[in-house]
Amino acid sequence: MENEYKKELIQKIGEILITYGVRSVNMDDIAKHLSVSKKTLYKYFKDKNDVVKSVTIAQTEGESHVVCSFCETSENAIDEMIKISEFANEKLKNMNPSVIFDLQKYYPESFEIFSNHKNQFIRQCVYNNLVRGIEEGLYRSNINPHIIAELYIAKMDVIWNREIVPGQELTFSQIHIEMIRYHIRGIASEKGVAYLQKIISKLSLNI
């Protein structure tokens, strides 16, 4: 029972940190947002570092579970990539611009967890998707899955760059949509493009 309550706390705290930023929220703020005492928080977490680490682990594990389910249930590689992209875009819509910077500068252990998730799990998922798409004829046969997967990971890093388009106030979500459009249309075969045109009206993203 206590373990379930801690999971619930971690989920709610994660929503707070993503919305307001990591560094700007202290334990008093968290307790106030959750309507619990600081004593309750310290019953489950040693300190704020422990809170941030717990949230990061829960977020990456949760994302892994969802992405794996998409890989298993999608009709084809394009459907798989679109489902993953729609899921990621929803998360990015409410994400405070300072979150990744705060992790990198003030919570290096948590940032390493996030980076390992991106560089290992996400990279492998992208590679597998590319191989699947080539086999299905939806992606061009002359692309190199290893190179494209590396480029995809590199583009993910660009999303967090607030100076990507100087002078424009762009959200992570807006940048992500452009990245996905660029990615899918850049690797799609004629068959893949035709499939995109067929399903495009049903998509929440304008791919």
Side-chain angles (χ1 to χ4, degrees):
M1 192 71 173
E2 285 206 352
N3 190 44
E4 288 301 314
Y5 181 65
K6 183 176 181 179
K7 286 183 180 179
E8 185 180 339
L9 282 177
I10 291 172
Q11 180 184 346
K12 291 180 178 178
I13 294 170
E15 293 170 1
I16 294 167
L17 298 183
I18 286 172
T19 302
Y20 297 101
V22 180
R23 192 187 178 206
S24 62
V25 177
N26 57 35
M27 295 296 271
D28 286 310
D29 296 325
I30 293 171
K32 184 176 180 180
H33 275 286
L34 298 180
S35 298
V36 300
S37 66
K38 282 179 65 177
K39 183 178 179 180
T40 298
L41 290 181
Y42 284 113
K43 178 181 178 181
Y44 295 98
F45 307 101
K46 289 184 295 185
D47 50 29
K48 190 181 172 186
N49 275 310
D50 189 27
V51 169
V52 175
K53 181 180 178 181
S54 297
V55 167
T56 305
I57 291 172
Q59 292 276 342
T60 53
E61 288 182 350
E63 181 176 299
S64 298
H65 176 76
V66 172
V67 169
C68 285
S69 72
F70 290 152
C71 296
E72 293 170 1
T73 60
S74 297
E75 181 180 336
N76 55 51
I78 288 180
D79 281 341
E80 177 187 308
M81 181 54 68
I82 287 173
K83 285 181 182 179
I84 292 170
S85 300
E86 288 175 333
F87 168 72
N89 204 61
E90 281 302 311
K91 293 185 68 175
L92 289 170
K93 281 181 180 178
N94 299 317
M95 188 170 179
N96 188 287
S98 70
V99 169
I100 301 302
F101 175 80
D102 288 351
L103 285 182
Q104 186 172 13
K105 187 168 184 179
Y106 302 105
Y107 300 92
E109 187 177 4
S110 295
F111 183 73
E112 184 177 3
I113 293 168
F114 167 80
S115 296
N116 288 340
H117 171 70
K118 177 192 67 178
N119 293 325
Q120 296 172 21
F121 177 78
I122 298 298
R123 177 185 278 112
Q124 189 62 49
C125 286
V126 173
Y127 174 81
N128 292 345
N129 178 267
L130 290 164
V131 171
R132 178 182 180 181
I134 293 170
E135 291 174 350
E136 294 171 339
L138 294 170
Y139 297 160
R140 291 185 288 108
S141 60
N142 63 342
I143 63 174
N144 184 316
H146 290 286
I147 295 175
I148 299 299
E150 293 298 329
L151 291 173
Y152 185 95
I153 295 301
K155 284 186 289 186
M156 283 185 68
D157 289 334
V158 173
I159 289 176
W160 317 122
N161 182 358
R162 303 306 298 166
E163 297 302 319
I164 184 170
V165 185
Q168 292 193 35
E169 289 294 326
L170 298 174
T171 65
F172 290 146
S173 175
Q174 289 172 307
I175 298 170
H176 176 254
I177 290 173
E178 292 297 334
M179 172 188 140
I180 294 303
R181 183 183 293 127
Y182 180 79
H183 175 73
I184 294 180
R185 290 191 175 274
I187 62 177
S189 63
E190 288 186 16
K191 179 181 175 181
V193 172
Y195 180 75
L196 271 176
Q197 295 299 326
K198 178 181 175 182
I199 66 169
I200 206 148
S201 62
K202 302 175 185 178
L203 304 181
S204 61
L205 296 181
N206 182 16
I207 303 296

